[in-house]
């Protein structure tokens, strides 16, 4: 089991928000963010199982921007299995899980999409990188992904953000990329933009359901 918090939401028809912190964070970090995105949704906030100099992470890295690929694959599987267990334990819809991740958390969320077709309904990725190069992605049609990127991000270059967008699009995901003229920090502006995108997405899906689609 992974350390986590589960808060049952007011509206159980909404997606459950899976919160995934950045390096050195924990399961409390992104709770305010979830409130800004959707204050009626259930929340599953998870702490990474790996420590780097005492700082929690979701998988190991060999250097800044260089992932330990073997550990990434193992930890992605571990998180995927934990999500199955959590859905059963807390009785939320496993097929309606929406990830919100920052930095290292965004990378493990992207890795879930890369490795497992049905892991997530969608994701809001703040400053993600491409989790693995040269792999064939599953068919991600019907999945929606929001990428928040910084034009001056020293850790995750704009090229990296564009490459991730392109890979997800070529796997048929619906992707929107939002740019801030900033570095790697998580800004209020990008959270507001993500919230707007998410609400628009829910409205579209509700309309589809009204028409039996």
């Amino acid at each position: 089991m992974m350390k986590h918090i589960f808060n049952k939401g007011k509206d159980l028809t909404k997606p459950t928000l899976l919160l995934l912190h950045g390096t050195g964070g924990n399961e409390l970090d992104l709770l305010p963010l979830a409130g800004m995105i959707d204050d009626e949704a259930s929340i599953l906030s998870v702490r990474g199982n790996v420590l780097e100099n005492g700082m929690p992470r979701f998988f190991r890295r060999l250097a800044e921007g260089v992932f330990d690929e073997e550990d990434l694959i193992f930890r992605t599987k571990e998180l995927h299995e934990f999500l199955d267990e959590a859905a059963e334990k807390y009785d939320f819809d496993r097929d309606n899980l929406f990830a919100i991740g920052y930095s290292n958390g965004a990378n493990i969320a992207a890795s879930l999409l890369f490795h497992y077709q049905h892991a997530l309904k969608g994701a809001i990725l703040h400053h993600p990188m491409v989790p693995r190069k040269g792999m064939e992605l599953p068919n991600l049609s019907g999945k929606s992904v929001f990428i928040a990127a910084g034009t001056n991000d020293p850790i995750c270059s704009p090229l990296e953000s564009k490459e991730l967008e392109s890979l997800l699009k070529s796997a048929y995901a619906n992707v929107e990329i939002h740019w801030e003229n900033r570095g790697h920090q998580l800004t209020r502006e990008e959270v507001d933009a993500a919230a707007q995108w998410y609400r628009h997405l829910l409205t579209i899906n509700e309309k589809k359901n009204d028409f039996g689609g």
Side-chain angles (χ1 to χ4, degrees):
M1 212 50 171
M2 299 178 76
K3 280 192 178 161
H4 65 281
I5 293 169
F6 181 78
N7 292 334
K8 195 171 186 173
K10 295 188 200 109
D11 185 346
L12 302 184
T13 64
K14 289 194 162 182
T16 295
L17 301 179
L18 168 66
L19 307 183
L20 302 163
H21 62 78
T23 300
N26 62 35
E27 64 278 22
L28 300 172
D29 278 24
L30 299 185
L31 293 176
L33 211 68
M36 291 182 220
I37 304 286
D38 191 341
D39 60 2
E40 294 181 329
S42 297
I43 291 166
L44 177 64
S45 191
V46 186
R47 184 190 298 191
N49 263 349
V50 171
L51 286 178
E52 179 182 277
N53 303 322
M55 298 187 297
R57 276 177 61 85
F58 285 97
F59 58 88
R60 284 200 296 267
R61 59 182 167 182
L62 306 173
E64 182 80 73
V66 184
F67 301 161
D68 179 331
E69 201 163 293
E70 204 177 309
D71 193 59
L72 171 67
I73 294 164
F74 173 76
R75 298 294 173 185
T76 304
K77 181 173 184 280
E78 175 186 60
L79 178 58
H80 187 251
E81 286 169 359
F82 165 73
L83 296 175
D84 291 344
E85 289 165 24
E88 211 167 296
K89 182 178 178 183
Y90 297 115
D91 195 27
F92 62 79
D93 182 356
R94 180 66 186 84
D95 297 325
N96 200 12
L97 191 61
F98 215 96
I100 301 175
Y102 167 56
S103 194
N104 181 242
N107 295 337
I108 194 91
S111 185
L112 280 170
L113 290 166
F114 271 47
H115 290 96
Y116 299 100
Q117 184 178 15
H118 302 297
L120 299 170
K121 179 80 173 282
I124 292 171
L125 307 176
H126 293 278
H127 303 272
M129 293 173 71
V130 175
R132 280 184 74 194
K133 311 272 184 184
M135 70 170 282
E136 195 176 328
L137 272 63
N139 183 330
L140 297 175
S141 55
K143 315 284 179 196
S144 297
V145 182
F146 179 92
I147 297 171
T151 52
N152 301 309
D153 193 329
I155 293 169
C156 170
S157 73
L159 278 176
E160 183 95 23
S161 306
K162 285 174 185 161
E163 187 187 345
L164 180 60
E165 177 193 26
S166 159
L167 288 167
L168 290 168
K169 276 185 171 171
S170 62
Y172 308 108
N174 160 37
V175 187
E176 182 163 321
I177 191 161
H178 171 83
W179 294 96
E180 287 286 331
N181 195 17
R182 301 283 183 88
H184 196 65
Q185 69 268 44
L186 186 56
T187 68
R188 177 62 196 252
E189 291 83 1
E190 71 189 53
V191 174
D192 288 344
Q196 205 175 340
W197 171 85
Y198 169 87
R199 285 179 203 129
H200 180 62
L201 192 67
L202 288 197
T203 309
I204 292 167
N205 287 343
E206 274 167 22
K207 280 180 183 162
K208 270 188 200 165
N209 292 337
D210 288 345
F211 291 108

